[in-house]
Amino acid sequence: MRRLRRPVRRTPGRPASGRRGPRRPASGPLPRVRWTIRLRLTLLYGALFLLTGVLLLTVVYLLVAGRPPWAGVEPPSPPAATVTPSGLGAALDVPAPSVDLERQLQQQRSDYLEKLLTSSGIALALLTLLSVWLGWLMAGRALRPLRTMADTAKAISANDLHRRLGAPGPSDEIKDLADTFDALLDHLEGAFEAQRRFVANASHELRTPLTFERSLLEITLADPDASAAELRETCVRVLGSNARQEKLIEALLTLARSQRGLDRRVPVDLAGLAAEHLGRPHDADGPPGVRIGSDLAPAAVLGDPPLVERLIINLVDNAVRHNVPDGRVRVWTGLHEGRPALSVRNTGPAVLPSQLELIFQPFQRLRATRLGGHDGQGIGLSIVAAIAAAHDADLHAEALPEGGLEIRVNFPPVAP
């Protein structure tokens, strides 16, 4: 016999197989309200208006509630004069408001205050909503230049630092902010351009000796009949080029270290460091017969001794290198206008005042100072400028009328 199947009861909304249907995606968390300046200003405007409205309504209510019940109400007219039994000297009797009239005035006044409070509350609520809406519009209009500035700043990248905000309008706080940001972009553009020039010049300066060394080795190795003396001469020239390249790399590392800032500040005497350097034989390439004189007075500064020593070495070597035969170099330390200072003066070719800013740029060599082929690395005074900036010192360069330069570094005074 065929067994009868019991009909399966289906639950509405559930599949016949008994499996659960696909779950509805759970609703995610509500987005958080972003407390923008516009929203905060709007709420502030609305809160201030509501507060002043409540204060005004309270003052009006208290003034109205403080009036007597019969204020402004005409008293009832007095009754006709009555003659006293004596018949002489009629006396008028003006009665005070009756109890019923006073109760009626009190009820009327209570109803009036309730109506005043209700109407004023409704009007205050409507005006508060209106003030919030107007505050939202006015805050958006006032902050529109800031949105424009933000969009422009987001669009500016390292490749188009020449763009500026150029906010129009009156000279207010927003325009001051835009002008400050434009000035910051000017500094960033100058820094990026200086970095690009520095990287290009450094790459050229490092690649040139490598190319020279490779050419020497290839030419020597290509000659099968090269003698031991020729091979030795080639090795000596390669070692000399390698030594100059090592000095350049050391100078680049010193420049990077000085631009990073100071990790420590200890008392340093400029006179002692200058005397120690002048007492050693210097190996700066320069014209023959250059004499170095000194006038060293104590000048205490706070700084990094190795960096301050490198500053003195670079200034003296630069003064010796860019000089004339039988020229002079004068090193001075002491107090200048109450500040510890270092000055290095030399004789040499005349330098135009317009060229003074170029000598502190990396890999900038002036034609007027190139005598006898002693060009140097073109980075010595750049290191001086970076070390002076790291010590918060002022750097001054002056072209002398008879030729040569005087470079003075004024350090911050040391607190006693």
Side-chain angles (χ1 to χ4, degrees), residues 72-414:
V73 180
E74 292 291 337
S77 57
T82 58
V83 182
T84 59
S86 62
L88 299 175
L92 297 178
D93 185 11
V94 181
S98 61
V99 178
D100 295 337
L101 179 59
E102 184 177 354
R103 186 180 299 124
Q104 182 180 359
L105 291 176
Q106 193 79 343
Q107 182 65 32
Q108 183 181 359
R109 175 170 170 268
S110 177
D111 296 340
Y112 174 75
L113 290 177
E114 183 179 356
K115 184 177 181 180
L116 174 64
L117 187 61
T118 304
S119 302
S120 301
I122 295 175
L124 180 59
L126 294 178
L127 290 178
T128 302
L129 294 177
L130 179 62
S131 67
V132 170
W133 178 67
L134 292 177
W136 176 264
L137 294 180
M138 296 308 297
R141 183 178 182 85
L143 296 176
R144 187 180 303 167
L146 288 180
R147 289 197 299 269
T148 304
M149 292 167 51
D151 295 338
T152 306
K154 290 179 181 178
I156 295 177
S157 62
N159 297 325
D160 55 354
L161 286 176
H162 60 277
R163 296 179 58 183
R164 298 294 181 267
L165 299 181
S171 180
D172 53 6
E173 291 81 357
I174 295 181
K175 185 170 178 58
D176 293 342
L177 177 61
D179 295 341
T180 304
F181 192 80
D182 288 341
L184 177 61
L185 288 178
D186 291 336
H187 291 298
L188 287 177
E189 184 180 12
F192 270 80
E193 290 298 329
Q195 183 183 20
R196 292 191 184 100
R197 291 194 302 268
F198 177 79
V199 171
N201 293 330
S203 301
H204 174 73
E205 294 291 335
L206 292 174
R207 185 171 59 248
T208 300
L210 291 178
T211 305
F212 173 73
E213 295 170 5
R214 180 185 300 174
S215 300
L216 279 179
L217 294 176
E218 289 178 350
I219 292 175
T220 303
L221 293 177
D223 185 7
D225 300 329
S227 61
E230 293 176 346
L231 294 176
R232 183 178 180 85
E233 180 183 1
T234 300
C235 292
V236 171
R237 297 180 64 182
V238 171
L239 287 177
S241 177
N242 184 263
R244 289 189 297 269
Q245 189 175 3
E246 183 180 0
K247 289 183 179 180
L248 176 59
I249 294 176
E250 182 182 358
L252 292 176
L253 293 176
T254 305
L255 178 60
R257 178 189 172 190
S258 57
Q259 288 179 340
R260 184 187 60 188
L262 298 182
D263 297 331
R264 59 168 184 165
R265 290 179 183 267
V266 298
V268 181
D269 185 16
L270 296 177
L273 291 179
E276 183 180 354
H277 173 65
L278 296 178
R280 296 193 300 259
H282 57 84
D283 55 353
D285 297 330
V290 177
R291 300 184 303 274
I292 301 178
S294 62
D295 182 9
L296 306 178
V301 300
L302 287 179
D304 190 334
L307 289 182
V308 176
E309 183 182 10
R310 173 52 58 183
L311 180 142
I312 297 174
I313 292 174
N314 285 8
L315 284 177
V316 174
D317 291 352
N318 183 80
V320 172
R321 182 179 296 110
H322 302 286
N323 214 313
V324 294
D326 298 327
R328 298 180 305 277
V329 175
R330 177 177 174 271
V331 182
W332 174 89
T333 61
L335 296 180
H336 177 76
E337 297 179 354
R339 302 174 60 179
L342 166 70
S343 173
V344 178
R345 177 194 292 253
N346 73 327
T347 57
V351 179
L352 297 177
S354 59
Q355 296 177 328
L356 294 179
E357 295 182 359
L358 298 178
I359 62 176
F360 297 106
Q361 300 295 328
F363 307 106
Q364 295 291 330
R365 302 178 179 89
L366 304 182
R367 293 182 179 179
T369 61
R370 296 183 182 182
L371 296 177
H374 306 288
D375 286 344
Q377 299 169 349
I379 199 174
L381 292 183
S382 301
I383 296 176
V384 170
I387 294 176
H391 288 79
D392 300 325
D394 297 330
L395 186 62
H396 301 275
E398 180 182 357
L400 303 178
E402 63 275 11
L405 286 174
E406 180 182 4
I407 300 179
R408 186 176 67 253
V409 185
N410 296 327
F411 289 86
V414 179

Side-chain angles (χ1 to χ4, degrees), residues 33-52 127-140 143:
V33 178
R34 185 185 178 191
W35 291 92
T36 59
I37 298 181
R38 184 178 184 182
L39 179 58
R40 284 181 285 176
L41 286 177
T42 302
L43 296 179
L44 178 62
Y45 296 155
L48 290 178
F49 182 85
L50 180 60
L51 179 61
T52 54
L127 290 178
T128 302
L129 294 177
L130 179 62
S131 67
V132 170
W133 178 67
L134 292 177
W136 176 264
L137 294 180
M138 296 308 297
L143 296 176

